[in-house]
Amino acid sequence: MSGLGAEKPSLKSAQLNAIHHMLSLNDDGDVASNMSKMSIGSYNDAPAGTSYNQWKILIYDKPCRSIISPLLSVSQLRSRGVTLHLLIESNTEREAIPDVPAVYFVEPTRANLSIIAQDCAKRLYSKVHINFVTKLDRSLMEEFGKLIVQNNCLDMIASLHDQYLDFICLEKNLFSLSNQMDSYALMNKSGVTDSVMEKYLDDIAYGLLSVVGTAGSVPVIRCPRVSQRS
């Protein structure tokens, strides 16, 4: 029973809860049973290998690895049933492990979608659960659908989700959008094109949308109706 002094869930605990939800194969029943744990960032795991916490492989790209690393250690990943965690863009070919499902946590890029489609065509895993860190554009979704149909592996796709987790949370309520270190110079140098500027601003907007969505609150933005000039 919570009182007036109950601790408000932090941004980090909310992001961690979303990662747990993803690793439970987006089982809504699993996350509902643990919402009361969010304020302290803990999670009531079923034993790894059971029907509620089955063994799985986690495949991510470098940006998504940067998101998970501050949240979960290797031992904590294993307690969530993750037997292997691999980079999607590895130079070495990944071996087939057909007895377990794979959870993909990646940016929605054409390169990542191509690799996932190839993995499905090779039937490396029993099923694949695809989680994009931010919104998958419709054009890329249609391209991916064509690849899957052409390779006759639609049955490999168990689920597909836009997670909106595109930020790195290093402390309870401190986050970074992980933009380039030279972003100020990049945006203010001579010759920067409109397309580059729009892409950068879109990335910032989607990152902030991820923060707001994960926190579960709408920010209040105040500004004067008319700009005042001295």
Side-chain angles (χ1 to χ4, degrees):
M1 181 175 180
S2 60
L4 294 176
E7 182 182 356
K8 181 180 179 180
S10 68
L11 180 62
K12 186 173 184 179
S13 65
Q15 188 183 40
L16 177 59
N17 195 66
I19 295 294
H20 281 309
H21 185 206
M22 179 184 73
L23 294 178
S24 70
L25 310 183
N26 296 288
D27 180 3
D28 291 334
D30 180 64
V31 72
S33 66
N34 291 283
M35 287 297 290
S36 61
K37 303 293 184 179
M38 284 181 60
S39 62
I40 56 175
S42 64
Y43 208 80
N44 184 22
D45 294 332
T50 63
S51 59
Y52 294 101
N53 190 13
Q54 60 182 296
W55 297 118
K56 62 190 76 73
I57 294 171
L58 174 62
I59 301 172
Y60 45 30
D61 56 11
K62 290 180 180 179
C64 290
R65 180 179 63 181
S66 297
I67 292 171
I68 288 181
S69 293
L71 301 174
L72 292 167
S73 65
V74 173
S75 62
Q76 288 171 327
L77 281 173
R78 187 168 181 82
S79 73
R80 293 298 298 148
V82 177
T83 57
L84 287 173
H85 43 95
L86 307 168
L87 280 173
I88 192 170
E89 61 270 69
S90 175
N91 293 326
T92 58
E93 185 174 354
R94 282 180 274 111
E95 296 181 0
I97 310 178
D99 297 331
V100 295
V103 174
Y104 288 83
F105 184 41
V106 296
E107 291 188 321
T109 65
R110 183 171 282 104
N112 285 339
L113 291 170
S114 177
I115 294 174
I116 294 173
Q118 292 174 20
D119 290 350
C120 291
K122 296 176 183 176
R123 299 185 176 271
L124 296 184
Y125 314 109
S126 63
K127 292 287 183 180
V128 300
H129 298 262
I130 306 170
N131 299 271
F132 296 112
V133 69
T134 190
K135 179 184 177 182
L136 172 64
D137 290 337
R138 183 175 182 85
S139 59
L140 288 178
M141 179 175 62
E142 291 175 352
E143 288 182 28
F144 181 62
K146 290 178 181 178
L147 286 174
I148 293 298
V149 171
Q150 289 170 1
N151 289 307
N152 194 29
C153 54
L154 182 60
D155 60 303
M156 291 292 297
I157 309 295
S159 64
L160 190 151
H161 299 268
D162 296 335
Q163 293 291 351
Y164 291 100
L165 293 171
D166 196 12
F167 63 96
I168 298 172
C169 210
L170 300 175
E171 296 182 14
K172 291 179 66 175
N173 290 300
L174 175 66
F175 69 92
S176 168
L177 298 183
S178 192
N179 294 318
Q180 300 180 43
M181 295 296 291
D182 59 347
S183 57
Y184 181 83
L186 178 66
M187 290 296 100
N188 290 278
K189 71 179 182 180
S190 61
V192 61
T193 64
D194 290 343
S195 60
V196 171
M197 182 71 75
E198 289 175 3
K199 171 67 167 58
Y200 193 77
L201 293 177
D202 283 346
D203 290 344
I204 292 175
Y206 278 124
L208 293 177
L209 176 62
S210 293
V211 172
V212 171
T214 302
S217 60
V218 179
V220 177
I221 301 174
R222 299 181 183 277
C223 63
R225 292 189 178 185
V226 180
S227 60
Q228 298 178 356
R229 298 180 180 178
S230 57

